[in-house]
Amino acid sequence: MPDATAAGFLATELPRLTALRQKLHAMPELSRQEVETSRLVAAELRALGLVPHENIGGYGVVAEIASRAEGPMVALRADMDALPIQEATGLAYASRHPGCMHACGHDGHTAALLGAAAYLATTRNFDGRVLLVFQPAEERYGGAQPMLDDGLLARFPFDSIFSFHNWPGLAEGAVSVADGPVMAGSNEFEVVFRADGAHGAMPHLSADPILAGGYFLTGLQQIVSRAVDPLQSAVVTVGSFHAGMAQNVIPKEARLRGTYRGFSLDMLAHIRTRLENAVRATADMSGVTAEFTLDGPDFPPVVNSSREAQIMRDVATTLGSQQLTSCPPSMAGDDFAIFLTERPGAYAWIGNGTDSAGLHQPEYNFNDAILTTAAELLARTAEASLQTRTA
Ligand SMILES: [Zn+2]
Ligand SMILES: [Zn+2]
Protein backbone atom coordinates (compact mmCIF):
# COMPACT_ATOMS: atom_id res chain seq x y z
CA MET A 1 0.00 0.00 0.00
CA PRO A 2 1.67 3.26 -1.05
CA ASP A 3 1.99 6.15 1.40
CA ALA A 4 -1.21 8.14 0.80
CA THR A 5 0.27 11.56 1.59
CA ALA A 6 1.54 13.41 -1.47
CA ALA A 7 4.98 13.90 0.08
CA GLY A 8 5.28 10.22 1.00
CA PHE A 9 4.00 8.99 -2.33
CA LEU A 10 6.29 11.30 -4.32
CA ALA A 11 9.35 10.46 -2.20
CA THR A 12 8.86 6.86 -3.32
CA GLU A 13 8.41 8.03 -6.90
CA LEU A 14 11.52 10.24 -6.96
CA PRO A 15 13.95 7.66 -8.47
CA ARG A 16 11.47 6.89 -11.27
CA LEU A 17 10.76 10.59 -11.92
CA THR A 18 14.48 11.39 -11.93
CA ALA A 19 15.15 8.65 -14.49
CA LEU A 20 12.25 9.94 -16.58
CA ARG A 21 13.52 13.53 -16.40
CA GLN A 22 17.01 12.49 -17.46
CA LYS A 23 15.59 10.41 -20.30
CA LEU A 24 13.68 13.49 -21.50
CA HIS A 25 16.82 15.57 -21.12
CA ALA A 26 18.73 13.28 -23.48
CA MET A 27 16.06 13.54 -26.19
CA PRO A 28 15.24 17.27 -26.49
CA GLU A 29 13.02 18.43 -29.35
CA LEU A 30 12.52 21.96 -30.64
CA SER A 31 9.21 23.83 -30.58
CA ARG A 32 6.61 22.23 -32.86
CA GLN A 33 8.79 19.13 -33.22
CA GLU A 34 7.91 17.37 -29.94
CA VAL A 35 7.11 14.05 -31.66
CA GLU A 36 8.96 11.62 -29.38
CA THR A 37 8.42 13.70 -26.24
CA SER A 38 4.65 13.77 -26.65
CA ARG A 39 4.67 10.06 -27.49
CA LEU A 40 6.59 9.33 -24.28
CA VAL A 41 4.20 11.50 -22.24
CA ALA A 42 1.20 9.67 -23.71
CA ALA A 43 2.79 6.29 -22.93
CA GLU A 44 3.46 7.36 -19.32
CA LEU A 45 -0.16 8.50 -18.96
CA ARG A 46 -1.42 5.18 -20.34
CA ALA A 47 0.79 3.34 -17.85
CA LEU A 48 -1.07 5.24 -15.11
CA GLY A 49 -4.38 3.93 -16.48
CA LEU A 50 -5.28 7.31 -18.01
CA VAL A 51 -6.52 8.04 -21.52
CA PRO A 52 -4.25 10.55 -23.29
CA HIS A 53 -5.69 12.80 -26.01
CA GLU A 54 -2.82 13.47 -28.41
CA ASN A 55 -2.04 15.99 -31.16
CA ILE A 56 -4.07 18.83 -29.66
CA GLY A 57 -2.90 22.05 -31.31
CA GLY A 58 0.21 20.33 -32.65
CA TYR A 59 1.92 17.87 -30.32
CA GLY A 60 -0.13 18.85 -27.27
CA VAL A 61 -1.25 16.02 -24.97
CA VAL A 62 -4.01 16.21 -22.37
CA ALA A 63 -5.54 13.66 -20.00
CA GLU A 64 -8.27 13.80 -17.41
CA ILE A 65 -8.23 12.34 -13.90
CA ALA A 66 -11.70 12.29 -12.39
CA SER A 67 -13.20 11.33 -9.08
CA ARG A 68 -16.64 11.77 -10.66
CA ALA A 69 -17.87 12.19 -14.23
CA GLU A 70 -19.08 15.77 -13.86
CA GLY A 71 -18.08 18.62 -11.64
CA PRO A 72 -15.45 21.34 -11.47
CA MET A 73 -12.24 20.91 -13.43
CA VAL A 74 -8.78 22.24 -12.57
CA ALA A 75 -5.99 22.17 -15.16
CA LEU A 76 -2.29 21.64 -14.44
CA ARG A 77 0.07 22.62 -17.26
CA ALA A 78 3.66 21.79 -18.21
CA ASP A 79 5.66 22.73 -21.30
CA MET A 80 7.66 20.14 -23.26
CA ASP A 81 9.95 21.83 -25.82
CA ALA A 82 13.69 22.51 -25.91
CA LEU A 83 15.98 25.17 -27.38
CA PRO A 84 18.43 25.47 -30.31
CA ILE A 85 21.48 25.49 -28.00
CA GLN A 86 24.53 23.21 -28.01
CA GLU A 87 24.67 21.60 -24.56
CA ALA A 88 27.87 22.08 -22.55
CA THR A 89 27.02 20.33 -19.27
CA GLY A 90 29.15 17.23 -19.86
CA LEU A 91 26.43 15.16 -18.17
CA ALA A 92 26.18 11.43 -18.79
CA TYR A 93 22.59 11.99 -19.92
CA ALA A 94 23.35 15.15 -21.96
CA SER A 95 21.44 15.83 -25.18
CA ARG A 96 21.90 13.26 -27.93
CA HIS A 97 20.61 15.81 -30.45
CA PRO A 98 23.37 18.18 -31.63
CA GLY A 99 22.41 21.85 -31.37
CA CYS A 100 19.30 21.10 -29.32
CA MET A 101 19.05 21.20 -25.54
CA HIS A 102 16.64 21.32 -22.61
CA ALA A 103 18.15 24.60 -21.41
CA CYS A 104 14.93 25.92 -19.84
CA GLY A 105 14.07 22.87 -17.73
CA HIS A 106 10.94 21.88 -19.60
CA ASP A 107 12.17 18.27 -19.20
CA GLY A 108 11.77 18.82 -15.44
CA HIS A 109 8.39 20.50 -15.83
CA THR A 110 7.10 17.54 -17.87
CA ALA A 111 8.48 14.98 -15.40
CA ALA A 112 7.03 16.89 -12.43
CA LEU A 113 3.56 16.98 -13.99
CA LEU A 114 3.81 13.24 -14.68
CA GLY A 115 4.70 12.83 -10.99
CA ALA A 116 1.64 14.85 -9.96
CA ALA A 117 -0.42 12.71 -12.37
CA ALA A 118 0.84 9.48 -10.76
CA TYR A 119 -0.15 10.69 -7.29
CA LEU A 120 -3.53 12.08 -8.35
CA ALA A 121 -4.43 9.02 -10.45
CA THR A 122 -3.55 6.69 -7.57
CA THR A 123 -5.25 8.59 -4.75
CA ARG A 124 -8.09 10.59 -6.44
CA ASN A 125 -8.49 12.42 -3.16
CA PHE A 126 -10.37 15.38 -4.67
CA ASP A 127 -13.92 16.17 -5.63
CA GLY A 128 -14.17 16.79 -9.38
CA ARG A 129 -11.73 16.54 -12.28
CA VAL A 130 -8.09 17.38 -12.88
CA LEU A 131 -6.91 18.04 -16.43
CA LEU A 132 -3.25 17.46 -17.27
CA VAL A 133 -2.09 19.79 -20.06
CA PHE A 134 1.27 19.09 -21.74
CA GLN A 135 1.82 22.01 -24.08
CA PRO A 136 4.19 22.11 -27.06
CA ALA A 137 6.04 25.12 -28.47
CA GLU A 138 6.38 27.34 -25.41
CA GLU A 139 9.77 28.71 -26.46
CA ARG A 140 8.74 29.61 -30.01
CA TYR A 141 5.56 30.03 -32.02
CA GLY A 142 3.23 30.03 -28.98
CA GLY A 143 1.78 26.54 -28.52
CA ALA A 144 -0.97 27.53 -26.09
CA GLN A 145 -3.11 29.37 -28.64
CA PRO A 146 -3.21 26.44 -31.10
CA MET A 147 -4.37 24.17 -28.25
CA LEU A 148 -7.20 26.61 -27.50
CA ASP A 149 -7.97 26.97 -31.22
CA ASP A 150 -8.16 23.18 -31.38
CA GLY A 151 -11.08 23.24 -28.94
CA LEU A 152 -9.21 22.55 -25.69
CA LEU A 153 -11.69 24.53 -23.56
CA ALA A 154 -14.76 23.25 -25.39
CA ARG A 155 -13.69 19.63 -24.92
CA PHE A 156 -12.20 20.08 -21.44
CA PRO A 157 -13.92 23.05 -19.78
CA PHE A 158 -11.48 23.72 -16.96
CA ASP A 159 -12.33 26.44 -14.43
CA SER A 160 -8.80 27.41 -13.46
CA ILE A 161 -5.24 26.51 -14.43
CA PHE A 162 -1.89 26.27 -12.62
CA SER A 163 1.71 25.90 -13.72
CA PHE A 164 5.27 26.56 -12.57
CA HIS A 165 8.75 27.36 -13.84
CA ASN A 166 12.02 26.34 -12.21
CA TRP A 167 14.01 29.43 -11.24
CA PRO A 168 17.82 29.51 -11.19
CA GLY A 169 19.26 31.74 -8.48
CA LEU A 170 16.37 31.03 -6.12
CA ALA A 171 17.14 28.58 -3.29
CA GLU A 172 16.50 24.93 -4.12
CA GLY A 173 12.82 24.16 -3.59
CA ALA A 174 11.83 27.67 -2.47
CA VAL A 175 8.44 28.65 -3.91
CA SER A 176 7.27 32.10 -4.98
CA VAL A 177 3.68 32.76 -6.09
CA ALA A 178 3.05 36.44 -6.72
CA ASP A 179 -0.27 38.27 -6.92
CA GLY A 180 -0.78 39.95 -10.28
CA PRO A 181 1.97 40.14 -12.90
CA VAL A 182 4.73 37.50 -12.75
CA MET A 183 6.23 37.65 -16.24
CA ALA A 184 6.11 40.46 -18.78
CA GLY A 185 4.15 40.82 -21.99
CA SER A 186 6.17 41.72 -25.06
CA ASN A 187 6.45 42.35 -28.75
CA GLU A 188 9.27 42.67 -31.29
CA PHE A 189 9.67 45.35 -33.92
CA GLU A 190 11.74 46.27 -36.94
CA VAL A 191 12.30 49.75 -38.32
CA VAL A 192 13.80 50.38 -41.75
CA PHE A 193 14.86 53.92 -42.73
CA ARG A 194 15.46 54.40 -46.47
CA ALA A 195 16.94 57.11 -48.70
CA ASP A 196 18.54 57.45 -52.15
CA GLY A 197 22.12 56.94 -50.99
CA ALA A 198 25.05 59.09 -52.08
CA HIS A 199 28.82 59.65 -51.99
CA GLY A 200 29.94 60.28 -48.41
CA ALA A 201 31.40 63.62 -49.49
CA MET A 202 28.07 64.83 -50.93
CA PRO A 203 25.56 64.57 -48.05
CA HIS A 204 23.27 67.17 -49.65
CA LEU A 205 22.40 64.61 -52.36
CA SER A 206 20.70 62.09 -50.07
CA ALA A 207 19.03 61.88 -46.70
CA ASP A 208 21.07 59.76 -44.29
CA PRO A 209 19.46 56.52 -42.97
CA ILE A 210 22.32 55.97 -40.49
CA LEU A 211 21.81 59.38 -38.91
CA ALA A 212 18.05 58.77 -38.83
CA GLY A 213 18.69 55.43 -37.08
CA GLY A 214 20.96 57.17 -34.57
CA TYR A 215 18.33 59.82 -33.77
CA PHE A 216 15.63 57.17 -33.50
CA LEU A 217 17.73 55.01 -31.15
CA THR A 218 18.51 58.02 -28.95
CA GLY A 219 14.94 59.34 -29.10
CA LEU A 220 13.30 56.12 -28.00
CA GLN A 221 15.28 56.23 -24.74
CA GLN A 222 12.71 58.86 -23.76
CA ILE A 223 9.87 56.35 -23.85
CA VAL A 224 10.68 54.53 -20.61
CA SER A 225 12.37 57.49 -18.92
CA ARG A 226 9.76 60.18 -19.77
CA ALA A 227 6.52 58.54 -20.91
CA VAL A 228 6.15 55.68 -18.40
CA ASP A 229 5.03 56.17 -14.80
CA PRO A 230 8.26 55.71 -12.79
CA LEU A 231 6.39 53.35 -10.46
CA GLN A 232 5.57 51.07 -13.42
CA SER A 233 8.00 48.77 -15.24
CA ALA A 234 8.78 48.76 -18.94
CA VAL A 235 11.73 48.16 -21.20
CA VAL A 236 12.60 49.02 -24.80
CA THR A 237 15.74 47.44 -26.24
CA VAL A 238 17.22 47.68 -29.73
CA GLY A 239 19.39 44.61 -30.14
CA SER A 240 20.28 44.91 -33.80
CA PHE A 241 21.29 47.94 -35.93
CA HIS A 242 22.64 47.31 -39.42
CA ALA A 243 23.51 49.87 -42.09
CA GLY A 244 26.13 50.53 -44.71
CA MET A 245 29.22 48.73 -46.01
CA ALA A 246 31.80 51.45 -46.69
CA GLN A 247 33.22 54.39 -44.74
CA ASN A 248 32.60 56.91 -47.53
CA VAL A 249 29.11 55.96 -48.71
CA ILE A 250 25.74 57.13 -47.40
CA PRO A 251 23.79 53.86 -47.64
CA LYS A 252 20.28 53.43 -48.92
CA GLU A 253 19.04 51.71 -45.80
CA ALA A 254 19.36 51.34 -42.01
CA ARG A 255 17.59 48.49 -40.25
CA LEU A 256 16.97 48.36 -36.47
CA ARG A 257 15.33 45.49 -34.57
CA GLY A 258 14.21 45.48 -30.97
CA THR A 259 11.76 44.40 -28.30
CA TYR A 260 9.48 46.17 -25.82
CA ARG A 261 8.07 44.70 -22.65
CA GLY A 262 5.66 45.61 -19.86
CA PHE A 263 3.25 44.12 -17.35
CA SER A 264 -0.06 45.03 -18.98
CA LEU A 265 -1.49 45.17 -22.50
CA ASP A 266 -2.25 48.87 -21.87
CA MET A 267 1.43 49.51 -21.16
CA LEU A 268 2.45 47.65 -24.31
CA ALA A 269 -0.03 49.67 -26.38
CA HIS A 270 1.32 52.88 -24.86
CA ILE A 271 4.91 51.96 -25.74
CA ARG A 272 3.88 50.89 -29.24
CA THR A 273 2.20 54.25 -29.89
CA ARG A 274 5.28 56.12 -28.72
CA LEU A 275 7.50 53.95 -30.94
CA GLU A 276 5.30 54.67 -33.95
CA ASN A 277 5.44 58.39 -33.16
CA ALA A 278 9.23 58.24 -32.87
CA VAL A 279 9.54 56.48 -36.24
CA ARG A 280 7.31 59.10 -37.93
CA ALA A 281 9.02 62.06 -36.27
CA THR A 282 12.49 60.75 -37.13
CA ALA A 283 11.52 60.23 -40.77
CA ASP A 284 10.05 63.75 -40.99
CA MET A 285 13.10 65.33 -39.38
CA SER A 286 15.67 63.37 -41.37
CA GLY A 287 13.93 63.29 -44.74
CA VAL A 288 14.07 59.49 -44.99
CA THR A 289 11.16 57.12 -45.51
CA ALA A 290 10.38 54.68 -42.75
CA GLU A 291 8.78 51.29 -42.42
CA PHE A 292 7.72 49.98 -39.01
CA THR A 293 6.80 46.30 -38.60
CA LEU A 294 5.69 44.34 -35.54
CA ASP A 295 6.22 40.62 -34.99
CA GLY A 296 2.45 40.30 -34.36
CA PRO A 297 -0.08 41.48 -31.79
CA ASP A 298 1.33 42.40 -28.38
CA PHE A 299 1.88 39.21 -26.37
CA PRO A 300 0.17 39.35 -22.95
CA PRO A 301 1.95 39.20 -19.57
CA VAL A 302 1.53 36.29 -17.13
CA VAL A 303 -0.89 37.68 -14.54
CA ASN A 304 -1.86 35.57 -11.52
CA SER A 305 -5.36 35.98 -10.15
CA SER A 306 -5.25 36.61 -6.41
CA ARG A 307 -7.69 33.83 -5.44
CA GLU A 308 -5.75 31.11 -7.30
CA ALA A 309 -2.38 32.54 -6.19
CA GLN A 310 -3.56 32.33 -2.58
CA ILE A 311 -4.60 28.69 -2.97
CA MET A 312 -1.15 27.87 -4.37
CA ARG A 313 0.67 29.85 -1.66
CA ASP A 314 -1.32 28.11 1.08
CA VAL A 315 -0.17 24.76 -0.32
CA ALA A 316 3.42 26.02 -0.60
CA THR A 317 3.54 26.92 3.11
CA THR A 318 2.96 23.26 3.99
CA LEU A 319 5.58 21.73 1.67
CA GLY A 320 7.79 20.09 4.29
CA SER A 321 10.78 22.23 5.14
CA GLN A 322 10.51 24.28 1.97
CA GLN A 323 10.18 27.99 2.41
CA LEU A 324 7.56 30.14 0.77
CA THR A 325 9.33 33.19 -0.54
CA SER A 326 8.43 36.27 -2.51
CA CYS A 327 10.22 37.29 -5.72
CA PRO A 328 9.77 40.39 -7.86
CA PRO A 329 8.35 39.71 -11.33
CA SER A 330 10.62 39.02 -14.31
CA MET A 331 10.79 40.85 -17.62
CA ALA A 332 11.02 37.46 -19.34
CA GLY A 333 7.76 36.01 -20.69
CA ASP A 334 5.88 32.71 -20.77
CA ASP A 335 3.27 31.36 -23.15
CA PHE A 336 1.21 30.32 -20.08
CA ALA A 337 -0.09 33.92 -20.31
CA ILE A 338 -2.42 32.81 -23.10
CA PHE A 339 -4.22 30.30 -20.85
CA LEU A 340 -4.55 33.01 -18.19
CA THR A 341 -6.35 35.29 -20.65
CA GLU A 342 -9.06 32.58 -20.83
CA ARG A 343 -9.28 31.35 -17.23
CA PRO A 344 -8.03 32.47 -13.79
CA GLY A 345 -4.94 30.72 -12.53
CA ALA A 346 -1.52 31.02 -11.00
CA TYR A 347 2.08 30.40 -12.01
CA ALA A 348 4.73 29.64 -9.41
CA TRP A 349 8.50 29.82 -9.44
CA ILE A 350 10.35 26.99 -7.75
CA GLY A 351 14.00 27.60 -6.92
CA ASN A 352 16.43 25.56 -9.05
CA GLY A 353 19.23 26.39 -6.60
CA THR A 354 21.50 29.37 -6.05
CA ASP A 355 24.39 27.73 -7.92
CA SER A 356 22.30 26.83 -10.98
CA ALA A 357 23.40 28.15 -14.37
CA GLY A 358 20.87 30.57 -15.85
CA LEU A 359 17.97 29.60 -18.10
CA HIS A 360 18.88 29.31 -21.81
CA GLN A 361 22.57 28.81 -20.95
CA PRO A 362 24.52 25.83 -22.38
CA GLU A 363 25.63 24.88 -18.83
CA TYR A 364 22.11 24.86 -17.40
CA ASN A 365 20.50 21.72 -15.94
CA PHE A 366 17.18 21.12 -14.20
CA ASN A 367 17.67 20.22 -10.53
CA ASP A 368 16.12 16.77 -9.94
CA ALA A 369 15.94 17.46 -6.20
CA ILE A 370 12.97 19.80 -6.82
CA LEU A 371 10.91 17.27 -8.81
CA THR A 372 8.95 16.16 -5.73
CA THR A 373 8.38 19.74 -4.54
CA ALA A 374 7.06 20.71 -7.97
CA ALA A 375 4.88 17.60 -8.32
CA GLU A 376 3.47 18.02 -4.81
CA LEU A 377 2.78 21.73 -5.32
CA LEU A 378 0.85 21.02 -8.52
CA ALA A 379 -1.06 18.00 -7.22
CA ARG A 380 -2.04 19.50 -3.88
CA THR A 381 -2.96 22.81 -5.49
CA ALA A 382 -5.43 20.87 -7.65
CA GLU A 383 -6.80 19.09 -4.57
CA ALA A 384 -7.08 22.32 -2.60
CA SER A 385 -8.64 24.12 -5.52
CA LEU A 386 -11.33 21.48 -6.03
CA GLN A 387 -12.13 21.35 -2.33
CA THR A 388 -12.39 25.13 -2.34
CA ARG A 389 -14.73 25.15 -5.33
CA THR A 390 -17.20 22.67 -3.90
CA ALA A 391 -16.94 23.91 -0.31
ZN1 LIG B 1 12.79 29.28 -21.98
ZN1 LIG C 1 10.87 27.85 -19.89
Side-chain angles (χ1 to χ4, degrees):
M1 185 69 197
D3 186 335
T5 68
F9 180 94
L10 289 164
T12 315
E13 284 280 289
L14 182 58
R16 185 181 75 82
L17 295 177
T18 300
L20 187 57
R21 202 287 293 183
Q22 296 181 359
K23 183 174 180 180
L24 287 163
H25 189 85
M27 50 177 273
E29 293 172 300
L30 295 176
S31 311
R32 284 191 184 164
Q33 298 174 23
E34 305 91 343
V35 185
E36 298 302 328
T37 307
S38 62
R39 200 171 285 168
L40 177 65
V41 165
E44 290 292 327
L45 294 170
R46 263 183 225 106
L48 294 172
L50 303 174
V51 180
H53 301 262
E54 296 176 75
N55 302 318
I56 297 189
Y59 290 108
V61 182
V62 307
E64 205 179 307
I65 309 173
S67 65
R68 55 187 167 103
E70 296 292 316
M73 183 185 282
V74 170
L76 302 175
R77 169 269 197 186
D79 39 18
M80 300 188 289
D81 55 331
L83 287 154
I85 293 173
Q86 180 62 43
E87 180 159 353
T89 60
L91 291 163
Y93 56 88
S95 170
R96 295 193 313 262
H97 301 164
C100 183
M101 176 194 177
H102 268 299
C104 206
H106 298 185
D107 48 348
H109 301 170
T110 298
L113 185 53
L114 286 168
Y119 163 76
L120 291 168
T122 305
T123 55
R124 301 196 192 225
N125 182 27
F126 54 84
D127 185 21
R129 297 174 287 171
V130 177
L131 186 71
L132 310 163
V133 178
F134 295 88
Q135 103 150 69
E138 191 285 323
E139 295 288 358
R140 268 199 91 192
Y141 308 118
Q145 192 60 53
M147 290 192 87
L148 293 169
D149 294 345
D150 208 358
L152 180 69
L153 266 168
R155 294 165 67 184
F156 308 98
F158 56 85
D159 304 292
S160 59
I161 185 162
F162 297 89
S163 192
F164 82 100
H165 208 291
N166 75 93
W167 210 250
L170 185 59
E172 179 181 295
V175 178
S176 175
V177 192
D179 270 335
V182 186
M183 311 272 275
S186 66
N187 208 340
E188 285 163 14
F189 62 90
E190 181 177 75
V191 183
V192 187
F193 293 115
R194 292 194 178 91
D196 292 336
H199 194 295
M202 302 168 191
H204 56 296
L205 296 180
S206 172
D208 186 345
I210 291 185
L211 188 57
Y215 275 121
F216 172 73
L217 183 55
T218 310
L220 62 78
Q221 304 308 313
Q222 294 186 54
I223 297 175
V224 175
S225 69
R226 301 289 88 184
V228 169
D229 179 343
L231 297 179
Q232 302 284 315
S233 301
V235 67
V236 182
T237 292
V238 169
S240 166
F241 184 168
H242 289 279
M245 296 291 285
Q247 74 279 16
N248 57 354
V249 178
I250 296 170
K252 291 181 188 298
E253 191 177 285
R255 191 176 292 260
L256 295 88
R257 291 164 59 220
T259 178
Y260 56 91
R261 286 159 189 250
F263 288 118
S264 70
L265 286 172
D266 283 350
M267 174 66 78
L268 296 174
H270 178 57
I271 296 171
R272 174 162 32 86
T273 303
R274 298 296 294 229
L275 273 171
E276 287 163 352
N277 291 347
V279 170
R280 240 187 339 263
T282 305
D284 283 351
M285 180 178 69
S286 305
V288 296
T289 63
E291 190 187 323
F292 180 71
T293 332
L294 293 168
D295 195 38
D298 290 338
F299 196 86
V302 176
V303 182
N304 285 350
S305 47
S306 52
R307 183 177 175 279
E308 277 66 28
Q310 191 57 51
I311 293 171
M312 211 171 194
R313 268 196 302 271
D314 287 347
V315 171
T317 56
T318 63
L319 289 176
S321 61
Q322 308 301 339
Q323 292 282 311
L324 180 67
T325 183
S326 171
C327 295
S330 165
M331 276 291 171
D334 195 296
D335 195 34
F336 186 59
I338 295 294
F339 293 120
L340 292 183
T341 60
E342 297 290 334
R343 289 292 181 274
Y347 177 89
W349 288 349
I350 302 181
N352 202 51
T354 49
D355 57 353
S356 167
L359 298 173
H360 295 204
Q361 300 304 306
E363 298 81 17
Y364 167 86
N365 190 28
F366 183 87
N367 183 346
D368 289 316
I370 69 170
L371 277 170
T372 48
T373 304
E376 185 178 356
L377 179 67
L378 291 173
R380 288 189 45 221
T381 295
E383 289 178 342
S385 198
L386 288 167
Q387 275 162 16
T388 305
R389 281 194 178 272
T390 49

